[in-house]
Amino acid sequence: MTDNKTILVTQSSMPPFEEYVDEIRSIWETHWLTNMGEKHHQLEEDLKAYLGIDNIALFVNGHSALECVLEAMDLHGKVITTPFTFASTTHAIVRVGLEPVFADIDPVTYTMDPNSIEALIDEDTCAIMPVHVYGNLCDVDAIASIAKRHNLKVIYDAAHAFGVLKDGVSSACFGDASMFSFHATKVFNTIEGGAVCFHDPSLKEKLDQWKNFGITGLETVEYVGGNAKMNEFAAAMGICNLRHLQDEIAKRKLVVERYHERLEGVPGIVMSKPQPHVTPNYAYLPVVFEDDFGATRDEVRDSLAANKVFSRKYFYPLTSDFECYEGRFDSSATPVAAHIAKRVLTLPMYADLALEDVDRICDMVLATRHA
Ligand SMILES: *Cc1c(COP(=O)(O)O)cnc(C)c1O
C-alpha cells in the first residue's frame, strides 16, 4: 500500500535504462545527431511495420506535424473541426491561415458528431479535421462518405489513438492523413515527437522538405518550410518504447478495468464504453460527473488534489472559448461539447499505476459526494 504519496495524472513510459544506452551507443561512433539519420530511418520502418502503413513522416512533435501536413496539402478556406480537443488542433488550423468551423460532438464517444458536419459545409470548406478523443475512434465511415460527397480532405488528429485498431485496421489508415503525437504523456512516446501517416505517396517528399526549411536540393529552396525534424535521441527512445508497447497497453487495460469495476454504475458517473469492432489503447480515464452525482467535477478535482492525487480537466475549456479567440466563436452552438467540457475529469492513468492506488483514488472520488 502506498498511502499518501503524490499521484500525477500520468507517468511517461520509459524503456530499461540499459536498453536505451545500447540503442544510442552507435550515435557516439557516427556523431550524427539529427537530420534524418540512422535512428530516424529505423523508427520510420518500425512504425510502418507496426501500423501496417506505407507512408509516414516523422516530426519534432505532433503539433508541427499537423501544421506541416495542412501546408503540404495546399489547403485554403474553412476546416470543419471540433472544439472538444487540445489547443493544438485548433491552433494548427488558425496558424496556417485556415478558418476553423466547429461541429458538435457525440455524447457517447466525445468525437465529432457526423450528423452535425454537413450543415456547416459551404463552398469555402476544404477539409474536415476530426479528433479520436481519448482513443475513441471517430465514426470514420460516416466521415469518409461526407468527405467524398463534398470532395473534402480528411485529416485526423490521432494524437490519442496510437495502437487503436478498427476491425484489425490501424487508426493510422483513415482519412487522407492522420497525425500522431509521441509526446511524453502519450501511450507511445519519443520524449517529444510526432508523425503524419498518409495515403498519397507524393506527400512524403513534400513533408520531409517542409520540416527542413523547404530545402529541396543543394542550392534550391522551393517552399517556405519550418524546422520540425525529429532528432536521433528521440528516435532511439521511440525504437525502444515501441518494443514494449503491447506490454504497456496490456497493463493499462488492467488499470482501466479496475476503475470500471469501482465506478461504473454509480449514479451520476458516466464512463467511456468499449466501441464495437475497436481494439482500444486505454490512453485515458475520462469520467463525466453528471448533476445527480452529488458533487461537481470541480469539487472532485479539488478533493483529489487535497489528497495529492492530480486529475486533469481534459478538455476544458473548449478551444472555441480560449481567450485568444475571444469574439470569434460561439460555444453555445456546440451544446454537447459545452456540457461535457464542464463535467469531465480525466483520472490518473498509466501502465504502472498500482491497482491499490486505483482503489484509493476511487474511494476519494466517491467520498466527495455530499451526504
Ligand atoms: C498531444 C496532442 C496534440 C499535440 O501533440 P504534441 O506532440 O504535444 O505537439 C495534438 N492534439 C491532441 C488531441 C493531443 O492530445
Side-chain angles (χ1 to χ4, degrees):
M1 260 311 259
T2 42
D3 276 341
N4 226 9
K5 70 163 190 230
T6 297
I7 299 178
L8 301 180
V9 70
T10 189
Q11 177 178 289
S12 298
S13 299
M14 296 172 80
F17 179 67
E18 296 304 332
E19 182 180 340
Y20 185 66
V21 170
D22 275 349
E23 193 62 50
I24 62 174
R25 201 175 299 281
S26 63
I27 300 176
W28 264 258
E29 287 149 27
T30 61
H31 288 246
W32 191 297
L33 303 183
T34 186
N35 285 61
M36 287 68 90
E38 176 200 349
K39 302 295 172 193
H40 184 282
H41 181 72
Q42 177 72 48
L43 181 59
E44 280 193 345
E45 293 309 310
D46 291 356
L47 287 170
K48 282 200 270 185
Y50 177 79
L51 296 169
I53 47 155
D54 295 328
N55 302 293
I56 190 168
L58 300 180
F59 287 85
V60 66
N61 55 50
H63 180 77
S64 301
L66 211 46
E67 287 193 11
C68 248
V69 70
L70 290 174
E71 292 193 325
M73 281 183 166
D74 198 23
L75 298 172
H76 303 276
K78 299 178 184 167
V79 178
I80 296 176
T81 185
T82 166
F84 190 68
T85 184
F86 186 55
S88 173
T89 323
T90 306
H91 282 2
I93 293 168
V94 171
R95 284 172 56 84
V96 304
L98 295 161
E99 186 185 338
V101 176
F102 293 107
D104 208 352
I105 60 171
D106 175 89
V108 175
T109 63
Y110 317 126
T111 62
M112 193 187 274
D113 180 355
N115 297 315
S116 73
I117 297 176
E118 242 166 342
L120 301 172
I121 296 174
D122 66 21
E123 69 271 17
D124 295 328
T125 309
C126 61
I128 307 175
M129 187 181 285
V131 181
H132 300 304
V133 178
Y134 307 132
N136 292 335
L137 278 193
C138 297
D139 188 342
V140 292
D141 297 329
I143 291 169
S145 73
I146 293 169
K148 191 164 178 220
R149 219 162 28 244
H150 297 274
N151 194 27
L152 304 174
K153 297 283 187 206
V154 179
I155 301 110
Y156 279 103
D157 179 333
H160 290 185
F162 191 85
V164 176
L165 309 168
K166 183 179 195 256
D167 290 319
V169 175
S170 148
S171 59
C173 298
F174 303 114
D176 296 280
S178 292
M179 176 279 286
F180 290 104
S181 164
F182 304 148
H183 182 257
T185 56
K186 303 301 205 267
V187 170
F188 166 71
N189 85 77
T190 64
I191 309 171
E192 290 263 10
V196 177
C197 301
F198 48 95
H199 291 292
D200 173 5
S202 73
L203 263 183
K204 172 66 176 163
E205 197 177 26
K206 253 187 168 174
L207 286 169
D208 284 347
Q209 291 162 345
W210 223 281
K211 74 183 180 197
N212 191 25
F213 304 101
I215 296 171
T216 54
L218 274 182
E219 297 174 358
T220 49
V221 182
E222 289 176 57
Y223 308 114
V224 185
N227 179 5
K229 307 181 297 289
M230 180 183 284
N231 74 61
E232 291 289 280
F233 289 81
M237 191 71 161
I239 292 168
C240 295
N241 276 336
L242 194 58
R243 294 185 191 120
H244 302 283
L245 185 68
Q246 283 318 113
D247 283 350
E248 293 278 310
I249 291 178
K251 287 203 262 175
R252 284 173 171 274
K253 178 171 192 272
L254 300 178
V255 176
V256 167
E257 284 173 352
R258 186 65 152 245
Y259 270 118
H260 279 253
E261 275 167 35
R262 293 294 316 276
L263 298 179
E264 188 104 69
V266 172
I269 280 191
V270 181
M271 303 182 82
S272 278
K273 287 163 196 55
Q275 294 181 280
H277 305 282
V278 172
T279 311
N281 65 354
Y282 307 101
Y284 297 91
L285 204 293
V287 176
V288 173
F289 294 96
E290 290 292 354
D291 301 347
D292 57 337
F293 174 64
T296 65
R297 179 270 308 271
D298 287 10
E299 286 170 334
V300 176
R301 195 212 74 96
D302 293 347
S303 103
L304 290 174
N307 287 292
K308 296 194 287 183
V309 171
F310 296 97
S311 56
R312 188 172 173 199
K313 297 185 205 176
Y314 192 64
F315 302 106
Y316 178 85
L318 297 179
T319 65
S320 49
D321 283 332
F322 284 176
E323 286 79 359
C324 56
Y325 297 128
E326 205 188 327
R328 277 180 74 173
F329 309 113
D330 175 11
S331 57
S332 70
T334 55
V336 180
H339 180 97
I340 300 298
K342 252 185 242 142
R343 291 167 179 81
V344 73
L345 193 66
T346 57
L347 299 179
M349 177 64 220
Y350 45 89
D352 288 325
L353 183 59
L355 299 184
E356 294 80 22
D357 286 331
V358 175
D359 286 340
R360 215 159 57 81
I361 294 164
C362 293
D363 289 341
M364 290 176 203
V365 167
L366 297 173
T368 313
R369 287 176 293 186
H370 308 300

